[in-house]
Amino acid sequence: MSTSADLAGRGVLVTRPAGQAEPLCRLIESAGGRAIRFPTIAIEPTHDPEAKALLAESWDLLYFVSPNAVEQALALVADGRWPRVERVAAVGRGTARALTAAGRAPDLVPNDRYESEALLEMPDLADMHGRRVLIVRGEGGRALFAQTMTERGAEVRFAEVYRRVRPSVDVAPLLACWSEEVDFVMATSDEVLLNLAELLGREGRARLLATPLVVIAERTAQTARDLGFQTVRVAERADDESIVRALIALY
């Protein structure tokens, strides 16, 4: 994408977990914006022995729902090539990159929308009778993929390898400079957005809702509208380049 000064110094509140934010922050800065790092989710391993045991079994399909799922699963296994797995699926490009770096490029990745719905539309997953499916995720993830796989005849299990927690942070410095510094907000999930609203509290609510927001899924856009956001834009795709293009379109 173009790296000209399209954002013209505008400040973007980047709400991703700290370990995942830097590629997007660099893109924002290369487009002339200012990345304001403010993670609203922290990732912790579950240390679940059952998850470790499940990852060592043979599976027809191993589905990773996020880069966090890949990172935390790799801490529990010896071989990131998954030799006992017939096919590996990734929810999107970031997850696919993490798998490829570990030694096993995924067999199934949606080409356009990076979400479970898009993966479920792939012909390879139309008939799953007698197949064993392991979904690698965080605690309490979405149930759609598992429900659909079960309806299509698969045996489905979960390896919950991480948990998402709301960070403990002093928001006073951010609120003090919000009007001068924060021009846009981005959120990559409902949980990220809801945590942000909770962290800012009643004092920051009006400022947050008046700030243009970029999200990566229509369901999160609806959550934002329900909260009362005045301006919401859905990025064309879930990758960093599309998020920056959506931010530029708001300017």
Side-chain angles (χ1 to χ4, degrees):
M1 64 177 293
S2 170
T3 57
S4 60
D6 296 305
L7 284 170
R10 296 306 195 269
V12 180
L13 195 72
V14 178
T15 53
R16 276 184 173 161
Q20 301 169 24
E22 285 312 303
L24 177 58
C25 290
R26 288 194 295 269
L27 274 182
I28 289 169
E29 289 160 358
S30 71
R34 291 178 293 102
I36 303 167
R37 294 154 177 85
F38 191 77
T40 66
I41 283 180
I43 303 300
E44 297 180 348
T46 59
H47 303 295
D48 182 1
E50 182 181 7
K52 183 174 183 177
L54 287 169
L55 289 165
E57 294 182 16
S58 297
W59 299 95
D60 295 295
L61 179 68
L62 189 60
Y63 174 39
F64 291 89
V65 306
S66 69
N68 286 320
V70 178
E71 179 182 354
Q72 297 300 328
L74 289 173
L76 299 176
V77 301
D79 191 345
R81 295 171 297 177
W82 306 105
R84 303 187 67 189
V85 174
E86 181 179 336
R87 289 187 295 183
V88 174
V91 72
R93 289 182 186 173
T95 306
R97 284 194 295 268
L99 285 166
T100 301
R104 173 73 180 266
D107 305 287
L108 301 173
V109 187
N111 290 324
D112 189 6
R113 305 184 333 271
Y114 303 137
E115 55 188 2
S116 292
E117 288 87 342
L119 189 65
L120 288 167
E121 292 171 3
M122 301 183 76
D124 305 73
L125 302 182
D127 183 0
M128 297 298 292
H129 281 91
R131 301 289 187 173
R132 300 187 75 232
V133 176
L134 182 65
I135 300 171
V136 188
R137 68 177 191 176
E139 289 181 344
R142 295 179 70 206
L144 174 67
F145 191 86
Q147 290 175 349
T148 306
M149 287 290 97
T150 301
E151 291 167 1
R152 295 177 185 178
E155 172 198 346
V156 180
R157 299 290 301 276
F158 297 103
E160 295 189 331
V161 295
Y162 66 94
R163 61 176 59 92
R164 298 170 294 269
V165 298
R166 187 186 304 157
S168 177
V169 61
D170 180 10
V171 301
L174 177 64
L175 291 178
C177 67
W178 188 284
S179 300
E180 295 77 25
E181 298 292 333
V182 182
D183 298 289
F184 304 126
V185 173
M186 54 75 57
T188 51
S189 71
D190 285 23
E191 187 175 11
V192 163
L193 183 60
L194 293 171
N195 279 1
L196 175 62
E198 286 292 326
L199 285 168
L200 295 181
R202 184 177 301 176
E203 182 182 355
R205 185 176 182 84
R207 275 169 279 191
L208 174 63
L209 299 181
T211 305
L213 171 72
V214 166
V215 298
I216 61 172
E218 181 55 43
R219 65 177 179 273
T220 307
Q222 187 56 55
T223 298
R225 297 183 192 107
D226 292 343
L227 285 172
F229 273 86
Q230 299 172 21
T231 304
V232 182
R233 188 176 187 92
V234 181
E236 183 179 355
R237 295 183 177 86
D239 57 82
D240 292 348
E241 291 82 0
S242 296
I243 291 171
V244 174
R245 281 194 289 268
L247 289 166
I248 291 169
L250 282 171
Y251 169 50

